[in-house]
Amino acid sequence: MLPSDFVFTQGNLQDYVECRRRFQLRYLLELAWPAVEAEPADIYEAHVRDGEMFHRLVHQHQVGLPAHRLQALVAAAAEQGVGQLATWWENYLRAGPRDLPSQRYPELSLSVPLGAHRLLARYDLVAVAPGVQAEIVDWKTAAYRPARGTLAARLQTRVYRYVLVQAGAPFNDGRPFRPGQVAMRYWFANFPERSERFPYDAAQ
């Protein structure tokens, strides 16, 4: 049985779809399994740290801090030997999404009821033109770029658009977004010119 306060997310739902035993171990038995997802562990951990720092930089930029002020943080990280951060930041400034609506909500969390529990979505960025469009952007720093079909099948693609339609009214002048007004875009720091965008519709 799930705990009464259990919250569904795209991550734990993806775990369930891929391996019910993994879901049981992680979320019901609360075991730290698997301990390491990639080898060597130090390289994997450094990549995770770089990714977290990149997300923080983009968040600060999206809330209005100028890029030249943030550049000092990138330079300091480079002096400490932080791997790919400088390249990712350069790619973001050069080829990040330019056609987004002007109202920006970075690091936004929304949740909706799901049976006796809740379904939570944590967005990197939601850009809104009220009454017209809502664009979800997710920053990806993985070394590989999944195929479009793989991304389309991911629970993240499905959950994020659904939750925004169900819970996004406060960002749309009090009216729920219509599914056709919502889309999700994956932007890849290692492949900045090859983002993937997924429109939404009522059938989905």
Side-chain angles (χ1 to χ4, degrees), residues 72-82:
L73 297 175
V74 177
E79 289 177 4
Q80 297 173 9
V82 176

Side-chain angles (χ1 to χ4, degrees), residues 16 34 51 65 69 79 88 90 96 102 110 113 121 126 170 178 181:
Y16 182 81
L65 284 177
R69 294 269 304 276
E79 289 177 4
W88 294 342
E90 179 183 326
S102 59
L110 297 174
V126 177
R178 297 192 305 276
Q181 294 175 318

Side-chain angles (χ1 to χ4, degrees), residues 18 73 75 84 110 115 127 130 144 155 160 173 177 181-182 191-192 194:
E18 291 177 358
L73 297 175
Q84 301 179 72
L110 297 174
Y144 66 96
L155 269 294
Y160 278 23
D173 294 334
F177 288 107
Q181 294 175 318
V182 171
F191 309 91
R194 298 177 60 200

Side-chain angles (χ1 to χ4, degrees), residues 181-199:
Q181 294 175 318
V182 171
M184 180 164 182
R185 184 183 316 193
Y186 292 98
W187 185 86
F188 301 93
N190 283 308
F191 309 91
E193 287 87 11
R194 298 177 60 200
S195 63
E196 287 284 4
R197 185 174 186 272
F198 294 90

Side-chain angles (χ1 to χ4, degrees), residues 40-166:
D42 57 339
I43 294 175
Y44 171 75
E45 290 168 1
H47 186 90
V48 170
R49 285 194 303 271
D50 288 358
E52 291 171 350
M53 187 174 291
F54 175 76
H55 277 74
R56 283 197 299 272
L57 286 167
V58 174
H59 176 214
Q60 291 172 314
H61 187 245
Q62 289 292 328
V63 297
L65 284 177
H68 70 271
R69 294 269 304 276
L70 297 169
Q71 188 63 42
L73 297 175
V74 177
E79 289 177 4
Q80 297 173 9
V82 176
Q84 301 179 72
L85 181 63
T87 299
W88 294 342
W89 180 245
E90 179 183 326
N91 288 345
Y92 166 76
L93 295 179
R94 176 181 55 81
R98 297 279 184 265
D99 56 344
L100 298 175
S102 59
Q103 292 188 22
R104 308 285 174 87
Y105 303 96
E107 302 299 328
L108 177 67
S109 293
L110 297 174
S111 71
V112 295
L114 183 65
H117 301 279
R118 293 196 71 80
L119 174 62
L120 173 69
R122 295 188 179 95
Y123 301 97
D124 287 345
L125 177 67
V126 177
V128 175
V132 179
Q133 177 189 8
E135 190 89 2
I136 301 162
V137 183
D138 197 74
W139 316 110
K140 293 296 188 189
T141 57
Y144 66 96
R145 181 185 178 283
R148 181 174 176 84
T150 300
L151 291 168
R154 296 289 295 179
L155 269 294
Q156 183 177 17
T157 307
R158 299 168 67 180
V159 166
Y160 278 23
R161 294 177 300 170
Y162 171 79
V163 170
L164 188 59
V165 168
Q166 296 297 316

